[in-house]
Amino acid sequence: MIVAIDGPSGTGKSSTSRAVAAKLGLSYLDTGAQYRAITWWMLTNGIDVNDAAGVADAAGKPVIVSGSDPAAPTITVDAVDASGPIRTQEVTAAVSAVSAVPEVRARLVELQRTAAAEALAGIVVEGRDIGTTVLPDATLKIFLTASEEARAARRTAELKGKEAQDLAATRAAMAKRDAADSGRKTSPLAKADDAVEVDTSELTLDQVIECVVTLVEEKRIKA
Ligand SMILES: Nc1ncnc2c1ncn2[C@@H]1O[C@H](COP(=O)(O)OP(=O)(O)OP(=O)(O)O)[C@@H](O)[C@H]1O
Ligand SMILES: Nc1ccn([C@@H]2O[C@H](COP(=O)(O)O)[C@@H](O)[C@H]2O)c(=O)n1
């Protein structure tokens, strides 16, 4: 059972994927965390993230390891826990430039396919290009969407007390990142033709989780 969950930022991919994987006894892989991890490494090693050739040259250097237990997902870079630093606004603002570099994508797609092949009980993999590029033969593909208003409100609430931005700034930053992710040449953010689209704007997180669990169970019955 391989479940691919894609969609723009703030649609609920991570929250939904983790919960679905935990409920169904599947592994979980957050591919966005891997792109954030390589971006953090570039920033901390003085690589200009807007210099695509420099990023490409360095893409093979960091060792990125993802732990796939949905109860406690982990990510390390060169054996250092990166789960905190990859969530800063500095990394969020830089990640789209790094993830657009084909050498970076080739490196991480290989890691992602290996993780899926090794997950014997099955896996939920979330990102932007899982259904279209990374795992085109996934058992089930979901594309989550939500209105810009809903997504910005969710992210603003999540960031409260951390690196808080106001609603308008959060919305503008999300729109900019989605435009860059959708507009890049190599495997842009896109819905696979055979993905089920779920608009989460008016749904609670529990309703979205239930909806995806039902879709997985339907696939299992048919298999
Ligand atoms: N249906 C929902 N209703 C209300 N809040 C939600 C819903 N789904 C997710 N959230 C909340 O919205 C925030 C963003 O969710 P999440 O991180 O899962 O989105 P994402 O699609 O993975 O975002 P990104 O791609 O930017 O990492 C979290 O605080 C989460 O708890
Ligand atoms: N399959 C993917 C997953 C992510 N990205 C890039 O990483 C960024 C961060 O993703 P989050 O889910 O953690 O917000 C995202 O904006 C993309 O630039 C990707 O390219 N492909």
PDB file of all heavy atoms in Angstrom, residues 6-7 9-10 13-14 30-36 87 92 95-97 99-100 105 112 126-130 134 155 177-178 180-181 184 187 189, ligand 2:
ATOM      1  N   ASP A   6      -0.156  14.825  -2.230  1.00  0.00           N
ATOM      2  CA  ASP A   6       0.463  16.065  -2.711  1.00  0.00           C
ATOM      3  C   ASP A   6      -0.494  17.234  -2.512  1.00  0.00           C
ATOM      4  O   ASP A   6      -1.686  17.050  -2.246  1.00  0.00           O
ATOM      5  CB  ASP A   6       0.787  15.933  -4.215  1.00  0.00           C
ATOM      6  CG  ASP A   6       1.899  14.927  -4.494  1.00  0.00           C
ATOM      7  OD1 ASP A   6       3.012  15.131  -3.971  1.00  0.00           O
ATOM      8  OD2 ASP A   6       1.647  13.934  -5.207  1.00  0.00           O
ATOM      9  N   GLY A   7       0.051  18.439  -2.707  1.00  0.00           N
ATOM     10  CA  GLY A   7      -0.789  19.633  -2.638  1.00  0.00           C
ATOM     11  C   GLY A   7       0.044  20.844  -2.263  1.00  0.00           C
ATOM     12  O   GLY A   7       1.188  20.708  -1.835  1.00  0.00           O
ATOM     13  N   SER A   9       1.085  24.389  -0.089  1.00  0.00           N
ATOM     14  CA  SER A   9       1.416  24.556   1.332  1.00  0.00           C
ATOM     15  C   SER A   9       0.162  24.838   2.167  1.00  0.00           C
ATOM     16  O   SER A   9      -0.756  25.522   1.714  1.00  0.00           O
ATOM     17  CB  SER A   9       2.429  25.688   1.509  1.00  0.00           C
ATOM     18  OG  SER A   9       1.945  26.857   0.901  1.00  0.00           O
ATOM     19  N   GLY A  10       0.145  24.266   3.354  1.00  0.00           N
ATOM     20  CA  GLY A  10      -0.927  24.538   4.307  1.00  0.00           C
ATOM     21  C   GLY A  10      -2.238  23.843   4.012  1.00  0.00           C
ATOM     22  O   GLY A  10      -3.271  24.158   4.621  1.00  0.00           O
ATOM     23  N   LYS A  13      -1.230  18.409   4.361  1.00  0.00           N
ATOM     24  CA  LYS A  13      -0.549  17.168   3.927  1.00  0.00           C
ATOM     25  C   LYS A  13       0.141  16.451   5.091  1.00  0.00           C
ATOM     26  O   LYS A  13      -0.050  15.257   5.290  1.00  0.00           O
ATOM     27  CB  LYS A  13       0.495  17.475   2.836  1.00  0.00           C
ATOM     28  CG  LYS A  13      -0.061  18.065   1.566  1.00  0.00           C
ATOM     29  CD  LYS A  13       1.022  18.322   0.536  1.00  0.00           C
ATOM     30  CE  LYS A  13       2.094  19.276   1.014  1.00  0.00           C
ATOM     31  NZ  LYS A  13       1.613  20.647   1.308  1.00  0.00           N
ATOM     32  N   SER A  14       0.965  17.198   5.844  1.00  0.00           N
ATOM     33  CA  SER A  14       1.748  16.547   6.905  1.00  0.00           C
ATOM     34  C   SER A  14       0.837  16.008   8.000  1.00  0.00           C
ATOM     35  O   SER A  14       0.974  14.845   8.419  1.00  0.00           O
ATOM     36  CB  SER A  14       2.741  17.530   7.532  1.00  0.00           C
ATOM     37  OG  SER A  14       3.619  18.008   6.567  1.00  0.00           O
ATOM     38  N   ASP A  30       7.991  12.483   5.006  1.00  0.00           N
ATOM     39  CA  ASP A  30       7.755  13.903   4.724  1.00  0.00           C
ATOM     40  C   ASP A  30       8.872  14.371   3.789  1.00  0.00           C
ATOM     41  O   ASP A  30       9.981  14.672   4.229  1.00  0.00           O
ATOM     42  CB  ASP A  30       7.787  14.667   6.063  1.00  0.00           C
ATOM     43  CG  ASP A  30       7.648  16.174   5.892  1.00  0.00           C
ATOM     44  OD1 ASP A  30       7.615  16.650   4.746  1.00  0.00           O
ATOM     45  OD2 ASP A  30       7.586  16.867   6.927  1.00  0.00           O
ATOM     46  N   THR A  31       8.583  14.422   2.472  1.00  0.00           N
ATOM     47  CA  THR A  31       9.646  14.777   1.518  1.00  0.00           C
ATOM     48  C   THR A  31       9.980  16.264   1.585  1.00  0.00           C
ATOM     49  O   THR A  31      11.099  16.670   1.262  1.00  0.00           O
ATOM     50  CB  THR A  31       9.264  14.376   0.072  1.00  0.00           C
ATOM     51  OG1 THR A  31       8.116  15.126  -0.336  1.00  0.00           O
ATOM     52  CG2 THR A  31       8.981  12.892  -0.042  1.00  0.00           C
ATOM     53  N   GLY A  32       9.012  17.079   2.032  1.00  0.00           N
ATOM     54  CA  GLY A  32       9.301  18.508   2.216  1.00  0.00           C
ATOM     55  C   GLY A  32      10.401  18.703   3.244  1.00  0.00           C
ATOM     56  O   GLY A  32      11.263  19.586   3.097  1.00  0.00           O
ATOM     57  N   ALA A  33      10.397  17.868   4.287  1.00  0.00           N
ATOM     58  CA  ALA A  33      11.447  17.971   5.313  1.00  0.00           C
ATOM     59  C   ALA A  33      12.814  17.694   4.697  1.00  0.00           C
ATOM     60  O   ALA A  33      13.819  18.302   5.090  1.00  0.00           O
ATOM     61  CB  ALA A  33      11.154  16.992   6.451  1.00  0.00           C
ATOM     62  N   GLN A  34      12.872  16.813   3.703  1.00  0.00           N
ATOM     63  CA  GLN A  34      14.163  16.512   3.059  1.00  0.00           C
ATOM     64  C   GLN A  34      14.654  17.717   2.233  1.00  0.00           C
ATOM     65  O   GLN A  34      15.843  18.043   2.261  1.00  0.00           O
ATOM     66  CB  GLN A  34      14.033  15.279   2.168  1.00  0.00           C
ATOM     67  CG  GLN A  34      13.678  14.022   2.959  1.00  0.00           C
ATOM     68  CD  GLN A  34      13.514  12.801   2.063  1.00  0.00           C
ATOM     69  OE1 GLN A  34      12.944  12.884   0.978  1.00  0.00           O
ATOM     70  NE2 GLN A  34      14.008  11.666   2.525  1.00  0.00           N
ATOM     71  N   TYR A  35      13.721  18.372   1.508  1.00  0.00           N
ATOM     72  CA  TYR A  35      14.127  19.568   0.754  1.00  0.00           C
ATOM     73  C   TYR A  35      14.538  20.687   1.717  1.00  0.00           C
ATOM     74  O   TYR A  35      15.481  21.452   1.452  1.00  0.00           O
ATOM     75  CB  TYR A  35      13.000  20.020  -0.190  1.00  0.00           C
ATOM     76  CG  TYR A  35      12.891  19.109  -1.391  1.00  0.00           C
ATOM     77  CD1 TYR A  35      11.941  18.083  -1.425  1.00  0.00           C
ATOM     78  CD2 TYR A  35      13.770  19.221  -2.464  1.00  0.00           C
ATOM     79  CE1 TYR A  35      11.873  17.214  -2.502  1.00  0.00           C
ATOM     80  CE2 TYR A  35      13.707  18.362  -3.549  1.00  0.00           C
ATOM     81  CZ  TYR A  35      12.758  17.357  -3.566  1.00  0.00           C
ATOM     82  OH  TYR A  35      12.698  16.493  -4.629  1.00  0.00           O
ATOM     83  N   ARG A  36      13.828  20.779   2.843  1.00  0.00           N
ATOM     84  CA  ARG A  36      14.208  21.784   3.850  1.00  0.00           C
ATOM     85  C   ARG A  36      15.590  21.453   4.428  1.00  0.00           C
ATOM     86  O   ARG A  36      16.407  22.349   4.682  1.00  0.00           O
ATOM     87  CB  ARG A  36      13.168  21.802   4.977  1.00  0.00           C
ATOM     88  CG  ARG A  36      11.849  22.436   4.568  1.00  0.00           C
ATOM     89  CD  ARG A  36      10.777  22.249   5.643  1.00  0.00           C
ATOM     90  NE  ARG A  36       9.538  22.887   5.263  1.00  0.00           N
ATOM     91  CZ  ARG A  36       9.266  24.176   5.477  1.00  0.00           C
ATOM     92  NH1 ARG A  36      10.131  24.940   6.135  1.00  0.00           N
ATOM     93  NH2 ARG A  36       8.128  24.698   5.076  1.00  0.00           N
ATOM     94  N   ARG A  87      12.570  24.323  10.140  1.00  0.00           N
ATOM     95  CA  ARG A  87      11.249  24.984  10.160  1.00  0.00           C
ATOM     96  C   ARG A  87      11.350  26.493  10.293  1.00  0.00           C
ATOM     97  O   ARG A  87      10.338  27.169  10.460  1.00  0.00           O
ATOM     98  CB  ARG A  87      10.397  24.428  11.330  1.00  0.00           C
ATOM     99  CG  ARG A  87      10.174  22.918  11.279  1.00  0.00           C
ATOM    100  CD  ARG A  87       9.273  22.493  10.148  1.00  0.00           C
ATOM    101  NE  ARG A  87       9.376  21.053   9.919  1.00  0.00           N
ATOM    102  CZ  ARG A  87       8.907  20.445   8.831  1.00  0.00           C
ATOM    103  NH1 ARG A  87       8.296  21.124   7.889  1.00  0.00           N
ATOM    104  NH2 ARG A  87       9.051  19.148   8.677  1.00  0.00           N
ATOM    105  N   THR A  92      12.355  28.359   5.088  1.00  0.00           N
ATOM    106  CA  THR A  92      11.105  28.375   4.309  1.00  0.00           C
ATOM    107  C   THR A  92      11.236  29.319   3.106  1.00  0.00           C
ATOM    108  O   THR A  92      10.779  29.006   2.002  1.00  0.00           O
ATOM    109  CB  THR A  92       9.916  28.789   5.205  1.00  0.00           C
ATOM    110  OG1 THR A  92       9.836  27.874   6.293  1.00  0.00           O
ATOM    111  CG2 THR A  92       8.604  28.777   4.444  1.00  0.00           C
ATOM    112  N   VAL A  95      13.743  27.554   0.415  1.00  0.00           N
ATOM    113  CA  VAL A  95      13.615  26.163  -0.029  1.00  0.00           C
ATOM    114  C   VAL A  95      13.170  26.024  -1.490  1.00  0.00           C
ATOM    115  O   VAL A  95      13.621  25.106  -2.190  1.00  0.00           O
ATOM    116  CB  VAL A  95      12.709  25.355   0.943  1.00  0.00           C
ATOM    117  CG1 VAL A  95      11.270  25.824   0.910  1.00  0.00           C
ATOM    118  CG2 VAL A  95      12.787  23.869   0.668  1.00  0.00           C
ATOM    119  N   SER A  96      12.336  26.924  -1.981  1.00  0.00           N
ATOM    120  CA  SER A  96      11.849  26.761  -3.363  1.00  0.00           C
ATOM    121  C   SER A  96      12.980  26.915  -4.378  1.00  0.00           C
ATOM    122  O   SER A  96      12.987  26.238  -5.415  1.00  0.00           O
ATOM    123  CB  SER A  96      10.729  27.751  -3.668  1.00  0.00           C
ATOM    124  OG  SER A  96       9.585  27.423  -2.918  1.00  0.00           O
ATOM    125  N   ALA A  97      13.943  27.796  -4.080  1.00  0.00           N
ATOM    126  CA  ALA A  97      15.077  27.979  -5.003  1.00  0.00           C
ATOM    127  C   ALA A  97      15.926  26.705  -5.043  1.00  0.00           C
ATOM    128  O   ALA A  97      16.352  26.255  -6.111  1.00  0.00           O
ATOM    129  CB  ALA A  97      15.924  29.172  -4.562  1.00  0.00           C
ATOM    130  N   SER A  99      14.947  23.603  -4.178  1.00  0.00           N
ATOM    131  CA  SER A  99      14.213  22.427  -4.673  1.00  0.00           C
ATOM    132  C   SER A  99      13.979  22.487  -6.188  1.00  0.00           C
ATOM    133  O   SER A  99      13.581  21.496  -6.791  1.00  0.00           O
ATOM    134  CB  SER A  99      12.882  22.264  -3.933  1.00  0.00           C
ATOM    135  OG  SER A  99      11.999  23.304  -4.278  1.00  0.00           O
ATOM    136  N   ALA A 100      14.226  23.642  -6.787  1.00  0.00           N
ATOM    137  CA  ALA A 100      14.067  23.752  -8.251  1.00  0.00           C
ATOM    138  C   ALA A 100      15.288  23.225  -9.005  1.00  0.00           C
ATOM    139  O   ALA A 100      15.247  23.065 -10.233  1.00  0.00           O
ATOM    140  CB  ALA A 100      13.829  25.212  -8.634  1.00  0.00           C
ATOM    141  N   ARG A 105      16.849  17.492  -6.837  1.00  0.00           N
ATOM    142  CA  ARG A 105      15.666  16.622  -6.960  1.00  0.00           C
ATOM    143  C   ARG A 105      16.093  15.177  -7.251  1.00  0.00           C
ATOM    144  O   ARG A 105      15.567  14.237  -6.668  1.00  0.00           O
ATOM    145  CB  ARG A 105      14.714  17.126  -8.051  1.00  0.00           C
ATOM    146  CG  ARG A 105      14.206  18.541  -7.814  1.00  0.00           C
ATOM    147  CD  ARG A 105      12.893  18.813  -8.527  1.00  0.00           C
ATOM    148  NE  ARG A 105      11.791  18.117  -7.872  1.00  0.00           N
ATOM    149  CZ  ARG A 105      11.187  18.558  -6.765  1.00  0.00           C
ATOM    150  NH1 ARG A 105      11.552  19.672  -6.189  1.00  0.00           N
ATOM    151  NH2 ARG A 105      10.205  17.868  -6.222  1.00  0.00           N
ATOM    152  N   GLN A 112      13.791   8.908  -1.715  1.00  0.00           N
ATOM    153  CA  GLN A 112      12.344   8.701  -1.498  1.00  0.00           C
ATOM    154  C   GLN A 112      11.892   7.356  -2.070  1.00  0.00           C
ATOM    155  O   GLN A 112      11.113   6.633  -1.432  1.00  0.00           O
ATOM    156  CB  GLN A 112      11.575   9.874  -2.143  1.00  0.00           C
ATOM    157  CG  GLN A 112      11.837  11.193  -1.422  1.00  0.00           C
ATOM    158  CD  GLN A 112      11.650  12.435  -2.284  1.00  0.00           C
ATOM    159  OE1 GLN A 112      11.107  12.363  -3.387  1.00  0.00           O
ATOM    160  NE2 GLN A 112      12.073  13.587  -1.784  1.00  0.00           N
ATOM    161  N   GLU A 126       4.356  12.156   1.426  1.00  0.00           N
ATOM    162  CA  GLU A 126       3.716  13.442   1.093  1.00  0.00           C
ATOM    163  C   GLU A 126       4.703  14.440   0.522  1.00  0.00           C
ATOM    164  O   GLU A 126       5.876  14.417   0.886  1.00  0.00           O
ATOM    165  CB  GLU A 126       3.030  14.022   2.329  1.00  0.00           C
ATOM    166  CG  GLU A 126       3.932  14.182   3.527  1.00  0.00           C
ATOM    167  CD  GLU A 126       4.011  15.578   4.064  1.00  0.00           C
ATOM    168  OE1 GLU A 126       3.796  16.538   3.308  1.00  0.00           O
ATOM    169  OE2 GLU A 126       4.321  15.699   5.261  1.00  0.00           O
ATOM    170  N   GLY A 127       4.208  15.277  -0.402  1.00  0.00           N
ATOM    171  CA  GLY A 127       5.091  16.269  -1.017  1.00  0.00           C
ATOM    172  C   GLY A 127       4.391  17.079  -2.078  1.00  0.00           C
ATOM    173  O   GLY A 127       3.253  17.531  -1.895  1.00  0.00           O
ATOM    174  N   ARG A 128       5.097  17.297  -3.185  1.00  0.00           N
ATOM    175  CA  ARG A 128       4.547  18.112  -4.277  1.00  0.00           C
ATOM    176  C   ARG A 128       4.481  17.336  -5.591  1.00  0.00           C
ATOM    177  O   ARG A 128       3.704  17.681  -6.473  1.00  0.00           O
ATOM    178  CB  ARG A 128       5.425  19.360  -4.520  1.00  0.00           C
ATOM    179  CG  ARG A 128       5.631  20.278  -3.312  1.00  0.00           C
ATOM    180  CD  ARG A 128       4.337  20.961  -2.936  1.00  0.00           C
ATOM    181  NE  ARG A 128       4.504  22.038  -1.954  1.00  0.00           N
ATOM    182  CZ  ARG A 128       4.759  21.853  -0.663  1.00  0.00           C
ATOM    183  NH1 ARG A 128       4.897  20.630  -0.183  1.00  0.00           N
ATOM    184  NH2 ARG A 128       4.847  22.881   0.166  1.00  0.00           N
ATOM    185  N   ASP A 129       5.339  16.302  -5.716  1.00  0.00           N
ATOM    186  CA  ASP A 129       5.487  15.591  -6.998  1.00  0.00           C
ATOM    187  C   ASP A 129       5.466  14.083  -6.779  1.00  0.00           C
ATOM    188  O   ASP A 129       6.017  13.333  -7.589  1.00  0.00           O
ATOM    189  CB  ASP A 129       6.824  15.977  -7.658  1.00  0.00           C
ATOM    190  CG  ASP A 129       8.023  15.572  -6.804  1.00  0.00           C
ATOM    191  OD1 ASP A 129       7.856  15.396  -5.579  1.00  0.00           O
ATOM    192  OD2 ASP A 129       9.123  15.412  -7.360  1.00  0.00           O
ATOM    193  N   ILE A 130       4.857  13.637  -5.699  1.00  0.00           N
ATOM    194  CA  ILE A 130       4.920  12.201  -5.385  1.00  0.00           C
ATOM    195  C   ILE A 130       4.077  11.413  -6.389  1.00  0.00           C
ATOM    196  O   ILE A 130       4.546  10.423  -6.958  1.00  0.00           O
ATOM    197  CB  ILE A 130       4.459  11.921  -3.930  1.00  0.00           C
ATOM    198  CG1 ILE A 130       5.188  12.856  -2.931  1.00  0.00           C
ATOM    199  CG2 ILE A 130       4.692  10.444  -3.580  1.00  0.00           C
ATOM    200  CD1 ILE A 130       6.682  12.825  -3.003  1.00  0.00           C
ATOM    201  N   VAL A 134       7.634  10.864  -8.330  1.00  0.00           N
ATOM    202  CA  VAL A 134       8.408   9.985  -7.432  1.00  0.00           C
ATOM    203  C   VAL A 134       7.836   8.569  -7.446  1.00  0.00           C
ATOM    204  O   VAL A 134       8.574   7.592  -7.608  1.00  0.00           O
ATOM    205  CB  VAL A 134       8.427  10.552  -5.991  1.00  0.00           C
ATOM    206  CG1 VAL A 134       9.218   9.644  -5.056  1.00  0.00           C
ATOM    207  CG2 VAL A 134       9.003  11.964  -5.977  1.00  0.00           C
ATOM    208  N   ARG A 155      -1.879  28.489   8.967  1.00  0.00           N
ATOM    209  CA  ARG A 155      -0.440  28.690   9.176  1.00  0.00           C
ATOM    210  C   ARG A 155      -0.195  29.800  10.200  1.00  0.00           C
ATOM    211  O   ARG A 155       0.696  29.696  11.035  1.00  0.00           O
ATOM    212  CB  ARG A 155       0.184  29.026   7.824  1.00  0.00           C
ATOM    213  CG  ARG A 155       1.655  28.970   7.598  1.00  0.00           C
ATOM    214  CD  ARG A 155       2.524  27.949   8.228  1.00  0.00           C
ATOM    215  NE  ARG A 155       2.195  26.552   8.193  1.00  0.00           N
ATOM    216  CZ  ARG A 155       2.438  25.693   7.200  1.00  0.00           C
ATOM    217  NH1 ARG A 155       3.014  26.084   6.117  1.00  0.00           N
ATOM    218  NH2 ARG A 155       2.118  24.424   7.311  1.00  0.00           N
ATOM    219  N   ARG A 177       5.610  31.009  -2.497  1.00  0.00           N
ATOM    220  CA  ARG A 177       6.247  29.678  -2.505  1.00  0.00           C
ATOM    221  C   ARG A 177       5.481  28.725  -3.441  1.00  0.00           C
ATOM    222  O   ARG A 177       6.083  27.989  -4.222  1.00  0.00           O
ATOM    223  CB  ARG A 177       6.288  29.130  -1.064  1.00  0.00           C
ATOM    224  CG  ARG A 177       7.066  27.846  -0.923  1.00  0.00           C
ATOM    225  CD  ARG A 177       7.667  27.710   0.466  1.00  0.00           C
ATOM    226  NE  ARG A 177       6.687  27.643   1.527  1.00  0.00           N
ATOM    227  CZ  ARG A 177       6.277  26.521   2.105  1.00  0.00           C
ATOM    228  NH1 ARG A 177       6.752  25.371   1.688  1.00  0.00           N
ATOM    229  NH2 ARG A 177       5.411  26.548   3.097  1.00  0.00           N
ATOM    230  N   ASP A 178       4.156  28.764  -3.387  1.00  0.00           N
ATOM    231  CA  ASP A 178       3.364  27.882  -4.259  1.00  0.00           C
ATOM    232  C   ASP A 178       3.598  28.220  -5.731  1.00  0.00           C
ATOM    233  O   ASP A 178       3.667  27.325  -6.576  1.00  0.00           O
ATOM    234  CB  ASP A 178       1.870  27.996  -3.937  1.00  0.00           C
ATOM    235  CG  ASP A 178       1.527  27.348  -2.605  1.00  0.00           C
ATOM    236  OD1 ASP A 178       2.290  26.468  -2.151  1.00  0.00           O
ATOM    237  OD2 ASP A 178       0.514  27.741  -2.004  1.00  0.00           O
ATOM    238  N   ALA A 180       6.301  29.538  -7.058  1.00  0.00           N
ATOM    239  CA  ALA A 180       7.634  29.045  -7.444  1.00  0.00           C
ATOM    240  C   ALA A 180       7.603  27.524  -7.611  1.00  0.00           C
ATOM    241  O   ALA A 180       8.148  26.982  -8.583  1.00  0.00           O
ATOM    242  CB  ALA A 180       8.660  29.445  -6.380  1.00  0.00           C
ATOM    243  N   ASP A 181       6.946  26.820  -6.686  1.00  0.00           N
ATOM    244  CA  ASP A 181       6.908  25.346  -6.758  1.00  0.00           C
ATOM    245  C   ASP A 181       6.115  24.864  -7.982  1.00  0.00           C
ATOM    246  O   ASP A 181       6.454  23.846  -8.587  1.00  0.00           O
ATOM    247  CB  ASP A 181       6.287  24.770  -5.478  1.00  0.00           C
ATOM    248  CG  ASP A 181       7.188  24.965  -4.253  1.00  0.00           C
ATOM    249  OD1 ASP A 181       8.389  25.231  -4.429  1.00  0.00           O
ATOM    250  OD2 ASP A 181       6.673  24.869  -3.129  1.00  0.00           O
ATOM    251  N   ARG A 184       8.280  25.790 -11.516  1.00  0.00           N
ATOM    252  CA  ARG A 184       9.631  25.309 -11.869  1.00  0.00           C
ATOM    253  C   ARG A 184       9.548  24.284 -13.005  1.00  0.00           C
ATOM    254  O   ARG A 184       8.493  23.658 -13.209  1.00  0.00           O
ATOM    255  CB  ARG A 184      10.316  24.716 -10.631  1.00  0.00           C
ATOM    256  CG  ARG A 184       9.704  23.427 -10.184  1.00  0.00           C
ATOM    257  CD  ARG A 184      10.429  22.773  -9.008  1.00  0.00           C
ATOM    258  NE  ARG A 184       9.634  21.686  -8.535  1.00  0.00           N
ATOM    259  CZ  ARG A 184       9.198  21.522  -7.295  1.00  0.00           C
ATOM    260  NH1 ARG A 184       9.485  22.392  -6.360  1.00  0.00           N
ATOM    261  NH2 ARG A 184       8.452  20.479  -6.991  1.00  0.00           N
ATOM    262  N   SER A 187       9.744  18.578 -12.379  1.00  0.00           N
ATOM    263  CA  SER A 187       8.641  18.068 -11.545  1.00  0.00           C
ATOM    264  C   SER A 187       7.999  19.112 -10.649  1.00  0.00           C
ATOM    265  O   SER A 187       8.152  19.101  -9.427  1.00  0.00           O
ATOM    266  CB  SER A 187       9.048  16.821 -10.761  1.00  0.00           C
ATOM    267  OG  SER A 187      10.262  16.949 -10.112  1.00  0.00           O
ATOM    268  N   LEU A 189       4.993  21.257  -8.664  1.00  0.00           N
ATOM    269  CA  LEU A 189       3.789  20.913  -7.900  1.00  0.00           C
ATOM    270  C   LEU A 189       2.623  20.754  -8.870  1.00  0.00           C
ATOM    271  O   LEU A 189       2.305  21.685  -9.619  1.00  0.00           O
ATOM    272  CB  LEU A 189       3.482  22.053  -6.922  1.00  0.00           C
ATOM    273  CG  LEU A 189       2.056  22.178  -6.384  1.00  0.00           C
ATOM    274  CD1 LEU A 189       1.697  20.985  -5.508  1.00  0.00           C
ATOM    275  CD2 LEU A 189       1.906  23.468  -5.584  1.00  0.00           C
TER     276      LEU A 189
HETATM  277  N1  LIG B   2       8.001  16.554  -3.038  1.00  0.00           N
HETATM  278  C1  LIG B   2       8.377  17.802  -2.693  1.00  0.00           C
HETATM  279  C2  LIG B   2       8.244  18.261  -1.385  1.00  0.00           C
HETATM  280  C3  LIG B   2       8.659  19.533  -1.089  1.00  0.00           C
HETATM  281  N2  LIG B   2       9.235  20.298  -2.031  1.00  0.00           N
HETATM  282  C4  LIG B   2       9.823  21.600  -1.741  1.00  0.00           C
HETATM  283  O1  LIG B   2      10.054  21.718  -0.333  1.00  0.00           O
HETATM  284  C5  LIG B   2       9.370  22.844   0.175  1.00  0.00           C
HETATM  285  C6  LIG B   2       8.992  22.615   1.608  1.00  0.00           C
HETATM  286  O2  LIG B   2       7.940  21.670   1.671  1.00  0.00           O
HETATM  287  P1  LIG B   2       6.963  21.593   2.956  1.00  0.00           P
HETATM  288  O3  LIG B   2       5.968  20.545   2.576  1.00  0.00           O
HETATM  289  O4  LIG B   2       7.804  21.222   4.113  1.00  0.00           O
HETATM  290  O5  LIG B   2       6.376  22.941   3.132  1.00  0.00           O
HETATM  291  C7  LIG B   2       8.263  23.150  -0.812  1.00  0.00           C
HETATM  292  O6  LIG B   2       7.858  24.496  -0.813  1.00  0.00           O
HETATM  293  C8  LIG B   2       8.944  22.765  -2.126  1.00  0.00           C
HETATM  294  O7  LIG B   2       9.786  23.800  -2.585  1.00  0.00           O
HETATM  295  C9  LIG B   2       9.335  19.834  -3.323  1.00  0.00           C
HETATM  296  O8  LIG B   2       9.833  20.544  -4.214  1.00  0.00           O
HETATM  297  N3  LIG B   2       8.906  18.591  -3.624  1.00  0.00           N
END
